[in-house]
Amino acid sequence: MSAQMWVRTATEIRRQRRRKAHSCWNHLIIAPLWPMHGVNLGTLLRTCDAVGACMAVPRLPWVPAALQTGNTLRQPSCVHWVKGPVRWLRDQRESSDIVGVELTDESIRLASLPPARRRTVVVLGHERTGIPPEATELLDVAVEIPMVGTGVSLNVAVAGSLVAYKLAGLV
């Protein structure tokens, strides 16, 4: 026989959460720098809010509208606008660990990824072609998300969310 679970009400949940959007903590930055599907950006922005991360996105004409798709947050989120993704990544290396979600010979499994202890940028590539070679060489570590199904990779929003939660130390 199982015990009855207590389901928290929306009011109880709100009391446990931040009352307003976080400012830029500049600690964990999720960077889908070569987006393919705009809907993933809004979904990933919600995850960034949930884990206290910022998001870095390229300055493309369709990206601002894409950030609103799937984003149900009532508060503004921390978004860094990137002009020239590879150059931006090169600049980030001075002050950040650069983690790429990519299948390489040196990739570590997601379960082995420790929580971020210093400023960390998570690089997400194009859903079909991945992270370009000139950006892959800038990574400090590549992370593989194990899969047992027939698909080649996960959706960018799902992959980014899994890595964000792991680096934030929430799983």
Side-chain angles (χ1 to χ4, degrees), residues 34-100:
W34 297 274
M36 180 175 166
H37 300 295
V39 69
N40 289 326
L41 297 181
T43 301
L44 196 51
L45 192 59
R46 289 178 63 191
T47 298
C48 288
D49 176 74
V51 302
C54 295
M55 194 161 152
V57 291
R59 278 202 184 275
L60 298 172
W62 58 270
V63 169
L67 287 172
Q68 294 306 312
T69 304
N71 178 10
T72 60
L73 300 173
R74 296 180 186 148
Q75 305 287 334
S77 299
C78 180
V79 176
H80 299 252
W81 293 95
V82 172
K83 198 173 184 183
V86 174
R87 183 181 60 226
W88 181 80
L89 277 177
R90 203 171 281 121
D91 293 344
Q92 301 309 302
R93 287 185 54 85
E94 295 176 23
S95 61
S96 307
D97 290 332
I98 310 293
V99 176

Side-chain angles (χ1 to χ4, degrees), residues 22-34:
H22 69 84
S23 59
C24 181
W25 293 343
N26 207 26
H27 175 67
L28 183 57
I29 300 167
I30 311 303
L33 299 176
W34 297 274

Side-chain angles (χ1 to χ4, degrees), residues 4 12 17-18 20 27 31-33 39 82 86 91 96 105 133 136 140 146 148 153 160 165 168:
Q4 185 176 5
E12 290 169 326
R17 305 269 168 86
R18 292 183 308 246
K20 60 181 185 170
H27 175 67
L33 299 176
V39 69
V82 172
V86 174
D91 293 344
S96 307
D105 290 341
T136 303
D140 293 310
V148 295
S153 67
Y165 267 87

